[in-house]
Amino acid sequence: MGLLVMAMIGGIILCTHTPLAQNDLHWLQVLIGLATWLTWLGSPAGRTRWLRLLGGLFLGVVAANWEDWQACNPPLLLPEGKKGKEFTAMVVDRNDRDDSIQLILEDFVWQPEQTEFAGQIQLSIYGHDADAEPGDRIAGKAVLHPVEDYRVPGVFSYADMLRRQGVKANGSARDPPQVVEQTSQWRINRLRQRISAWVQRHIAPRQQGLVEGILVGKRGRITAAQNENMRSAGLIHLVAISGSNLGLVAGWAFLFFRRLLVMLTPVSRRWDVKRLAALAAMLFMLGYASLAGWSVATQRAAIMITLYLLSVAVERGNQMWRALGMSAILILFFQPNQLFQAGFQLSFLAVATLIALGDMDFAPDWRGRMRAMSLSTITIGVVLTPVTAYHFHQGSPYSILANIPAIPWVGIVSVPLGMIGLMVLPWSETWGGVVLSLMGWSLEIFDRWAAWISHLPGAWTRFPGPTLPGFALMVLAGVGWLAWRRFWPRAACLCVAACAWFWPHPAPPLGYLQLSVLDVRQGQSVLLHAPTGDWSVIDAGGPVSPRFNIGESVISANLWYQGVGKLARIVLSHPDLDHISGAAQLLRNFPTGELWLGFFPQEEESHAQYKQIIAMAQRQGTLIRRFQDGTTIHAEGLDFHILPPFPLRGKENDRSLVLEVTHDTRRFLFPGDVQRTGERWLARSGQLAPVTLVVAPHHGSAGSSSPIFVQALHPEHVVFSVGARNRYGFPKPASVARWAASGARLWRTDQDGTVMFRSDGHHLERVGD
């Protein structure tokens, strides 16, 4: 079984991470299938191992090719406009958040022309309540746009995740849609929504998200602070319906049904109550998984637990390795992309570790149980470290300490109270509310424990982690370690895993300057790699959202992808959010030598986010430098020229810190949001000269890129940092025309994605061309 699983994983990796054309993959699939068939027809002697190897490869290649074919969606034809268009649709599911309501819709039809939209829609409603529940047909107005990613290397593909779930477009509505019909469809999701409403009536707001997460798998009301605390403490797995919670529910159900059946004397005399209890617990667990919404993580855990309970029911409870392997094959065949998801890897590694430790003998008393639990927690924490390091670039040094009391507390107190509350609810909402309040109280203690752990020194530890090739080798080595029982093969697997951790990141070569204008939608952020290997971030802005931080999810992700562990400096041109919204998170994630600011004394007193950034820099021990006059700084093989800013009485944009970076004969200008008045000031002061590249000031607005500014710079390349379909209409055609007339080559992040250049000081080339 181990060889079959390893071969299947190898087949999936071969199809998804090799530069083979689609046609070549189809021929490969045919050849491996033919080889498998011929091996099966061959002599029985010695063919078993080869048959497992080729059969696993064939399963992996078929699964990966089938998923790629399913994921190929035709281009979406969406109505133009920003005011919204009338529609009708069926509500599939609903997720309530603190700032919005999110509906999943199907059978979406544009009105009045009755144009159907194939696939599901994710519709967000901000600032309003809505009556719509799963199973309702609704009507309203919405604006839709395709599901898109940030085109930045190393960033998690949220769009790919949605597409594989069937969601083909995002949308928003200014006003809540109206319910026009209630149907009998999506009853389970309607029940989940009504349990959520019940939770909201009986639980304090701070604990609603935790309770909903455990009972019905909805985590929209978990606050950003709670998420961060649980991640830092290594406790996030306890409030997600996956392996841990489904395992707890199945375990409690097994104990309950076994005790109940023992009490029923006619049953216990005639049948084996252990086998009956396993079947009853399986049905109860599957019912709970249905109530949880059958998310991918829930499906994965349910398959694993079902196979194990079935093995107990047929008196093969010692076949846990076989059950784990079969569940892996089933999941990967139908969802091969799960191989690369953190949840799949964490679940299977944790279960495999528990199975391996299950062979050890401990005393049957409470001391033996405590030793077993402590050893399991410590071992799982060590084994899962590479996974959390790769996916989340985070280590939780206190996770072992945090989990030792948290796992039994949630498992023995919180989850049973939730199950009892759900069973009491149909008979009495009052008594069900009492039980639910007790569950909320238990999770309040858990929440405070996570917050205390997360604030211990060093709890927030971030680092690049292993690369994708290195991590793939570690996964294969881990599966090999589980498959082989002899010492030397296992030792070789451990050596391979240790070496794979140090697989080099795709960092720029020393001696070169590399400049990356990131695709941060409507905002600006530039990464600068110096010839000495030091890194700087010039502006760190982008969309602002309570649930998304551009500094964490995009800028930091790209830096970690390139193996960056610290920053020489962060330069902020001015206090606008589209230039600073991710800076505080960058300061938190990376030790930073210096923070360069323009001279904005009034904004430092009145601008909340700007004050937060300065306070974070002070806490981190970062040197803060404010530039009121022009100056030149020589560092890391580069010359950093701070151009004299516009006088204090000018507008904030015109007072942007303007930075010019020189590398031998090549010059790069970053003017922030300087507009016409500031541009004229710089041109008339004699500070401007022809440059190699300029990031277009103020994203190419109509009030920037004045003729005098364009003529003074006469650049070879101009990059517009703009978001697709942004509400400002940037870059403006007049601005684009002026730069084009100067003879410069134009680039746009909304069309070209991240724009990256590399220079040796004399020649400049675009990386990726």
Side-chain angles (χ1 to χ4, degrees):
M1 182 63 70
L3 183 59
L4 184 66
V5 174
M6 284 184 66
M8 187 175 184
I9 290 173
I12 294 172
I13 294 174
L14 179 66
C15 286
T16 53
H17 288 86
T18 55
L20 293 175
Q22 193 67 34
N23 224 20
D24 297 333
L25 291 176
H26 289 316
W27 279 111
L28 180 66
Q29 176 179 316
V30 172
L31 290 174
I32 296 176
L34 182 61
T36 305
W37 181 61
L38 292 174
T39 303
W40 181 74
L41 291 177
S43 172
R47 75 178 182 184
T48 303
R49 182 166 295 182
W50 281 105
L51 188 61
R52 289 176 180 174
L53 178 62
L54 292 171
L57 276 173
F58 181 70
L59 287 175
V61 172
V62 169
N65 283 332
W66 173 252
E67 186 181 57
D68 286 341
W69 180 83
Q70 287 184 309
C72 291
N73 296 320
L76 299 177
L77 299 176
L78 301 177
E80 296 291 335
K82 302 178 182 179
K83 294 184 179 180
K85 185 176 174 61
E86 292 184 356
F87 73 92
T88 61
M90 171 69 69
V91 180
V92 173
D93 205 355
R94 168 174 170 160
N95 190 20
D96 291 21
R97 297 178 170 181
D98 293 335
D99 60 336
S100 64
I101 296 171
Q102 193 178 78
L103 301 178
I104 303 297
L105 309 176
E106 67 176 10
D107 298 336
F108 194 94
V109 180
W110 291 115
Q111 302 293 340
E113 60 268 27
Q114 297 291 312
T115 304
E116 295 185 7
F117 184 96
Q120 292 186 342
I121 306 291
Q122 183 172 271
L123 183 70
S124 298
I125 306 166
Y126 295 93
H128 298 281
D129 197 1
D131 298 327
E133 293 184 338
D136 290 344
R137 187 167 295 279
I138 60 174
K141 283 187 175 182
V143 176
L144 298 189
H145 51 83
V147 177
E148 295 176 323
D149 271 325
Y150 288 87
R151 288 174 291 176
V152 180
V155 172
F156 171 73
S157 179
Y158 178 71
D160 184 61
M161 181 192 73
L162 288 181
R163 281 193 293 265
R164 294 182 186 279
Q165 293 174 1
V167 175
K168 295 187 177 180
N170 279 321
S172 60
R174 293 185 177 181
D175 301 310
Q178 301 300 312
V179 177
V180 296
E181 181 187 3
Q182 288 188 348
T183 73
S184 59
Q185 300 183 49
W186 300 104
R187 292 179 179 177
I188 291 293
N189 286 354
R190 181 182 286 267
L191 175 60
R192 295 173 65 229
Q193 179 57 33
R194 294 188 173 175
I195 292 174
S196 293
W198 178 56
V199 168
Q200 293 170 29
R201 288 196 298 271
H202 292 279
I203 297 294
R206 180 172 174 79
Q207 305 312 326
Q208 288 175 4
L210 300 177
V211 174
E212 285 187 68
I214 290 177
L215 291 184
V216 292
K218 296 187 177 186
R219 300 170 58 192
R221 291 187 176 273
I222 297 178
T223 66
Q226 288 174 320
N227 259 318
E228 186 175 289
N229 290 340
M230 289 186 290
R231 281 179 57 193
S232 298
L235 299 173
I236 192 72
H237 62 98
L238 291 177
V239 293
I241 296 184
S242 55
S244 57
N245 279 339
L246 280 183
L248 289 169
V249 169
W252 281 111
F254 178 78
L255 293 176
F256 172 78
F257 287 119
R258 187 174 186 181
R259 182 61 58 90
L260 179 65
L261 292 170
V262 166
M263 294 171 60
L264 298 175
T265 307
V267 175
S268 59
R269 285 179 177 176
R270 187 170 182 180
W271 289 290
D272 185 348
V273 294
K274 181 180 178 181
R275 300 169 68 181
L276 293 176
L279 291 174
M282 181 187 69
L283 294 176
F284 187 86
M285 181 273 299
L286 291 175
Y288 176 60
S290 300
L291 194 63
W294 284 113
S295 66
V296 173
T298 306
Q299 295 173 32
R300 180 176 58 238
I303 290 173
M304 294 168 59
I305 296 169
T306 298
L307 288 174
Y308 172 68
L309 290 175
L310 283 175
S311 67
V312 173
V314 297
E315 295 187 332
R316 294 203 174 181
N318 59 342
Q319 300 289 319
M320 295 185 68
W321 284 115
R322 187 174 295 273
L324 181 64
M326 284 299 301
S327 61
I329 291 170
L330 284 172
I331 292 169
L332 293 178
F333 185 77
F334 292 103
Q335 296 176 331
N337 195 56
Q338 282 296 301
L339 176 65
F340 309 105
Q341 304 302 315
F344 176 87
Q345 296 159 7
L346 291 170
S347 298
F348 272 86
L349 277 175
V351 173
T353 304
L354 288 174
I355 295 174
L357 292 174
D359 297 334
M360 301 179 66
D361 292 327
F362 294 95
D365 57 7
W366 68 270
R367 292 186 181 88
R369 295 190 184 96
M370 287 297 296
R371 291 192 189 98
M373 186 183 68
S374 301
L375 180 61
S376 300
T377 304
I378 294 170
T379 307
I380 289 174
V382 173
V383 170
L384 299 186
T385 295
V387 182
T388 57
Y390 173 73
H391 288 283
F392 309 116
H393 307 285
Q394 184 170 6
S396 184
Y398 303 107
S399 62
I400 296 172
L401 168 67
N403 275 280
I404 288 175
I407 290 175
W409 179 258
V410 173
I412 297 174
V413 180
S414 302
V415 171
L417 285 172
M419 296 299 100
I420 293 171
L422 289 180
M423 289 187 289
V424 172
L425 175 62
W427 309 102
S428 171
E429 182 171 339
T430 301
W431 284 105
V434 171
V435 178
L436 200 66
S437 298
L438 292 174
M439 181 186 183
W441 164 80
S442 71
L443 289 175
E444 171 71 22
I445 295 175
F446 166 79
D447 188 22
R448 293 187 179 186
W449 173 248
W452 182 76
I453 291 290
S454 69
H455 286 84
L456 292 176
W460 186 262
T461 303
R462 312 303 297 273
F463 45 84
T467 62
L468 178 59
F471 184 66
L473 278 177
M474 295 171 74
V475 171
L476 288 174
V479 176
W481 188 89
L482 296 173
W484 284 305
R485 298 294 177 145
R486 289 181 293 178
F487 174 78
W488 288 112
R490 282 191 163 186
C493 288
L494 290 177
C495 290
V496 169
C499 294
W501 181 281
F502 300 99
W503 191 289
H505 289 80
L510 294 178
Y512 284 81
L513 176 146
Q514 180 169 296
L515 180 152
S516 303
V517 184
L518 300 182
D519 171 23
V520 291
R521 306 281 168 86
Q522 188 53 40
Q524 184 169 303
S525 183
V526 180
L527 305 186
L528 190 69
H529 172 268
T532 57
D534 296 284
W535 287 84
S536 299
V537 177
I538 303 171
D539 283 333
V544 179
S545 167
R547 298 183 175 276
F548 177 83
N549 187 287
I550 198 77
E552 169 74 19
S553 301
V554 177
I555 307 174
S556 291
N558 182 252
L559 289 168
W560 285 320
Y561 169 77
Q562 300 181 83
V564 180
K566 62 180 180 179
L567 298 174
R569 67 187 55 79
I570 296 174
V571 182
L572 301 181
S573 60
H574 65 298
D576 280 2
L577 285 178
D578 62 338
H579 288 251
I580 68 167
S581 58
Q585 194 67 23
L586 283 177
L587 286 165
R588 192 177 186 196
N589 289 342
F590 298 91
T592 304
E594 297 181 354
L595 174 64
W596 290 7
L597 306 173
F599 192 63
F600 297 95
Q602 296 178 355
E603 287 77 3
E604 289 192 20
E605 296 295 328
S606 59
H607 196 298
Q609 287 84 353
Y610 206 50
K611 290 169 62 177
Q612 179 190 11
I613 292 167
I614 294 171
M616 176 66 71
Q618 291 171 340
R619 287 197 297 272
Q620 301 294 96
T622 300
L623 175 64
I624 301 175
R625 303 184 67 172
R626 297 170 177 85
F627 295 94
Q628 190 174 359
D629 301 304
T631 186
T632 298
I633 298 172
H634 305 279
E636 298 123 29
L638 302 172
D639 290 334
F640 295 87
H641 305 282
I642 308 295
L643 276 60
F646 193 72
L648 187 59
R649 65 180 181 274
K651 295 181 179 179
E652 181 183 297
N653 281 351
D654 284 320
R655 290 185 283 120
S656 293
L657 186 152
V658 179
L659 174 66
E660 182 185 85
V661 178
T662 302
H663 181 215
D664 288 342
T665 63
R666 294 290 173 170
R667 305 172 68 193
F668 308 88
L669 187 70
F670 310 97
D673 273 357
V674 166
Q675 293 180 272
R676 185 178 294 111
T677 304
E679 291 173 352
R680 290 174 180 170
W681 163 267
L682 291 169
R684 290 170 180 169
S685 66
Q687 297 293 320
L688 298 180
V691 298
T692 305
L693 178 146
V694 59
V695 177
H698 202 214
H699 317 282
S701 69
S704 65
S705 303
S706 56
I708 189 173
F709 189 73
V710 173
Q711 292 169 9
L713 294 179
H714 197 68
E716 297 176 21
H717 299 271
V718 178
V719 183
F720 295 93
S721 183
V722 291
R725 299 176 300 277
N726 66 85
R727 61 191 180 99
Y728 307 104
F730 294 161
K732 295 295 185 180
S735 175
V736 174
R738 284 193 288 272
W739 288 113
S742 72
R745 188 171 181 182
L746 308 185
W747 307 91
R748 296 172 49 157
T749 58
D750 62 334
Q751 297 176 356
D752 303 303
T754 294
V755 181
M756 189 182 304
F757 290 92
R758 186 175 294 167
S759 172
D760 61 359
H762 301 282
H763 303 92
L764 182 75
E765 62 177 3
R766 186 182 178 221
V767 180
D769 280 352

